[in-house]
Amino acid sequence: ALADCEVAAIEERSDDEWQVCFADDQSRTQALAELGRACPEVAVESFELDDGDWAARSQASLRAVRVGALLIAPPWDIPPGLTAGQVHEGARVIVILPSMGFGTGHHATTRLCLAALQQVPLDGARVIDVGTGSGVLAIAASLLGAREVFGLDDDPDAVAAARENLEFNPDASVSVTVQDLRTLQETPFDVVTANLTGGLLIAVAEGLKALVRPGGRLILSGLMEVEAEDVLRAFAPCDVMARAQEDEWICATLQPR
């Protein structure tokens, strides 16, 4: 219900209580209406929250997350004596400054995509990350051996965050641009990643399929288990090469025929 609302952040206070933050009253009002229609059984309280740099405070407790051979670390939790790109106990360090969007490695969909990237051939590959957010998937693809990597997002703030994270990871070579997928004109890629939402994946399915060369890989996440059948149907006739799940979140690796 909140997928199309301008959510700034969500704090999961318990299994059945969320505090959802918005940048302005209009966004909050829209969310209240959406929740009322889609989830009438949910109790909702609306209130003003003093900024007080709440985002920075909430992110200060984040710690490094390991996903296979990658360690995603905020700048304040890098293993002692190491820098980005170096290997710590078998895991290559990627430094990501937590921001308002996904991509710190603390969300299931990011972890699922990072794991999926480690299961596809990346040496010398040409890769694009659609909806790049923090740029973590694009940075990971570069450090895992991709030859040419692009990060694409239609949100200028996300692209600014991705470029800032690239400065933390000088060993990664990624070109990041503000652009809508529907206006992109590029030759096909070996690997395409898209960590979006179920509804958005369905809406842009044809455009994403067109980005993948025959025999390439398309890594999808951001979809929930209840959406998986509809999303995968939109990407037919791609073959499902792998599928993973964490809680209610799904990641699927597809191969176009």
Side-chain angles (χ1 to χ4, degrees):
L2 293 172
D4 294 324
C5 301
E6 295 294 328
V7 175
I10 298 176
E11 179 185 358
E12 298 184 37
R13 293 189 158 191
S14 68
D15 288 343
D16 59 359
E17 181 185 359
W18 287 3
Q19 179 169 287
V20 185
C21 301
F22 304 89
D24 53 58
D25 290 341
Q26 183 178 355
S27 299
R28 182 178 61 183
T29 300
Q30 178 195 355
L32 288 170
E34 294 289 345
L35 284 170
R37 285 192 293 268
C39 310
E41 72 281 9
V42 174
V44 180
E45 176 188 0
S46 176
F47 59 94
E48 297 292 328
L49 182 65
D50 180 29
D51 187 336
D53 203 17
W54 56 267
R57 291 202 313 272
S58 65
Q59 292 158 357
S61 62
L62 295 180
R63 293 293 177 258
V65 174
R66 179 162 183 168
V67 183
L70 297 172
L71 183 72
I72 315 302
W76 52 84
D77 197 33
I78 302 170
L82 295 180
T83 59
Q86 294 184 311
V87 176
H88 174 69
E89 297 180 352
R92 189 170 299 278
V93 177
I94 297 177
V95 178
I96 297 294
L97 180 65
S99 62
M100 300 291 279
F102 290 128
T104 62
H106 292 82
H107 193 271
T109 59
T110 309
R111 292 193 295 271
L112 288 166
C113 286
L114 289 167
L117 271 173
Q118 297 174 64
Q119 302 302 316
V120 300
L122 285 176
D123 283 346
R126 192 164 185 263
V127 179
I128 187 168
D129 179 30
V130 178
T132 197
S134 70
V136 63
L137 299 182
I139 292 168
S142 179
L143 295 178
L144 289 169
R147 169 179 56 86
E148 192 176 15
V149 183
F150 297 85
L152 183 75
D153 207 298
D154 61 4
D155 182 350
D157 291 336
V159 169
R163 287 174 176 159
E164 184 175 15
N165 286 322
L166 280 166
E167 294 179 4
F168 284 110
N169 298 273
D171 291 345
S173 178
V174 179
S175 176
V176 186
T177 57
V178 180
Q179 191 169 359
D180 190 305
L181 169 64
R182 291 165 292 190
T183 66
L184 182 65
Q185 294 182 340
E186 275 284 355
T187 54
F189 293 83
D190 300 301
V191 177
V192 175
T193 58
N195 185 11
L196 305 173
T197 65
L200 186 52
L201 287 170
I202 292 172
V204 299
E206 294 303 317
L208 287 173
K209 286 191 289 184
L211 286 178
V212 193
R213 68 165 178 80
R217 297 292 191 273
L218 176 55
I219 297 173
L220 307 177
S221 196
L223 61 148
M224 303 182 77
E225 184 178 14
V226 296
E227 305 170 303
E229 184 177 341
D230 291 336
V231 172
L232 294 178
R233 186 183 301 116
F235 285 86
C238 292
D239 294 319
V240 179
M241 307 302 290
R243 174 171 166 160
Q245 181 168 350
E246 184 176 339
D247 298 327
E248 71 270 34
W249 299 101
I250 300 290
C251 178
T253 301
L254 311 181
Q255 183 179 51
R257 294 180 182 176

